[in-house]
Each structure stands twice: as structure tokens, then as C-alpha cells.
Amino acid sequence: MQSRARTSAVVALILTASALVACSSTPDPSPEPSIPPGITAPPPTTPATTAPVVESSLPAEIAGVDTSGWQQIGVPSGAATFRIPADWSVSEAEGGVDVLRADGQRQLLYRESPDTGDGRCVNADGVAVAWRTAILDRQDVELAGAPGMAFGAAALQLGDQWIVSVGLRPAADAQSPRCPIVNAFDSPAGTIGFGSEVVVQGAGEAAPWQVASLADGEAYLGGEEFPIIRAILMSLELRS
């Protein structure tokens, strides 16, 4: 009886040890990952969108200026595009945009449906004064949707004040500028003004276009900036 009991005890110990080994060899299941309370998973990444490419049918060289490295600018309404140097910029304004030189000074404006005045020749105070004009430059412009256009540069004397005007105008007006000089024209999108001012008075933000004399106005054409200004204006394209 004792021998058989001892044998049974040994067998029981072996079976118990085997069961323990079996239990220890089975890995515990990995716990599911959890997010701490108050923290949410990041949203899915949204693919970046690229700005639409503004196409142009004009050559790189405009009025003798290489514009291949310039920006092609679309106006807010989508009615037109034009080019500006890489270090220039535009700022949105009522009815269009202002064109800013690299130093931030406004040089040109683009306006849709602008106020073109009542046809009277007056100064910035609204007072009629003696005037005379001198043509400085004129270049024909092929503008789809607005035939018979030209770039015109002129000097306008209002009383004792001289003002340089640059802009797109009907060719006949650019050839024989009279006061008031209006840098605007009719297009399928309505009246568009593109120049130093719409109605030239040398007032407000257009004050940089005031010069001391006709000779100073003529000298401006020989500087580095004038060809750039002319190329910007002549780069205008209307969109249907």
C-alpha cells in the first residue's frame, strides 16, 4: 500500500509540473492599443491643392522687354490677366487690383466699371484750370475683344502742375491726348481702366506720377522703370 501511494504521488507531481510548463509556454494575448481619454486621433491628411495655371498667348518679349521670368496675374473677376516682374505684387482693391512696385509703392491700377468722370477737365480739387498736353509715347496694342487699342504715355499740365499719364486707351485718343485724359476702354466685360490713373489728375496714390516739368516727364522715358511699366500695360489679355 505505501509503495503504490508513493508511485501515485510521483505521477501526480509530474502531471502538475507538465501543466505548469504548458501554461508558462503560452504567451498572454497582447492588449489592444488605447487612446488616453481626451485625446482624439489626428484627421486624415488632405491633399494639397495647387493654384490654377494662368495661361497666356503673348510672346515672352513685349515692347522690347523679356517677360519670361515675370508673374502672370489673374484679376479677381477672371476677366483679364497681365504680367508683372517677379519682385512686384498686386493688392486687391475695389473693382480690381493695384499694381505695387518691389518697394510697395503703387504704380498702376486695374479697374472694372470705373468712374470715368463727366468729361470736364479739372484738377484734383475739381476746379477747371488751363491745360495742355504733350505726347510722350504711343504703341499699338492687339487686344482680343477690344480692337483699335494703344498704349499711350503723355504729359498733362493742369495749371502749374505737370503729370505723367500711362495707360491703355483707344488708339486715336493716345495719338492726340486731350484733357481729361482717361485711361479706360470698352470691352465685352464692360469698361476697363488700366493705367497710372483712370481719370488723370495726379491725386492721392497717383501722386508719384507728378513731375516738376515737361522735361522731367520726357526724362522718365529714358529711365529703367518706364519700359517695365509699358510692358505691364501691354501684357493685358481679356478672357471671354
Side-chain angles (χ1 to χ4, degrees), residues 140-174:
D140 288 329
V141 175
E142 293 186 9
L143 192 57
M149 297 298 302
F151 162 82
L156 169 65
Q157 184 181 26
L158 289 174
D160 297 329
Q161 181 183 32
W162 280 97
I163 306 156
V164 171
S165 162
V166 293
L168 297 187
R169 310 176 60 203
D173 293 346

Side-chain angles (χ1 to χ4, degrees), residues 16-236:
T16 301
S18 298
L20 291 173
V21 170
C23 290
S24 64
S25 62
T26 303
D28 294 333
S30 300
E32 292 294 328
S34 61
I35 299 174
I39 298 178
T40 59
T45 303
T46 303
T49 57
T50 57
V53 176
V54 180
E55 300 290 344
S56 173
S57 61
L58 297 180
E61 184 173 308
I62 298 176
V65 175
D66 180 8
T67 68
S68 58
W70 288 20
Q71 307 172 63
Q72 187 80 23
I73 301 297
V75 302
S77 70
T81 66
F82 57 88
R83 299 175 190 173
I84 60 173
D87 57 350
W88 288 41
S89 62
V90 297
S91 63
E92 193 165 339
E94 183 177 357
V97 295
D98 290 335
V99 180
L100 312 179
R101 202 167 57 187
D103 61 3
Q105 184 183 80
R106 194 199 79 168
Q107 293 296 89
L108 301 171
L109 57 78
Y110 169 93
R111 296 289 187 272
E112 294 171 2
S113 302
D115 181 0
T116 56
D118 58 8
R120 295 186 305 134
C121 180
V122 296
N123 63 14
D125 297 323
V127 178
V129 293
W131 62 272
R132 64 175 173 138
T133 61
I135 185 171
L136 299 176
D137 188 32
R138 179 191 176 282
Q139 302 281 336
D140 288 329
V141 175
E142 293 186 9
L143 192 57
M149 297 298 302
F151 162 82
L156 169 65
Q157 184 181 26
L158 289 174
D160 297 329
Q161 181 183 32
W162 280 97
I163 306 156
V164 171
S165 162
V166 293
L168 297 187
R169 310 176 60 203
D173 293 346
Q175 182 62 43
S176 302
R178 295 180 55 82
C179 187
I181 294 177
V182 179
N183 293 313
F185 59 92
D186 293 328
S187 79
T191 302
I192 291 177
F194 194 31
S196 52
E197 297 174 271
V198 176
V199 180
V200 178
Q201 295 174 340
E205 291 181 299
W209 289 98
Q210 295 184 25
V211 292
S213 64
L214 173 59
D216 286 345
E218 293 171 336
Y220 176 71
L221 272 66
E224 295 181 356
E225 185 176 89
F226 176 73
I228 295 173
I229 292 288
R230 181 173 58 191
I232 292 172
L233 293 167
M234 293 181 66
S235 72
L236 185 71

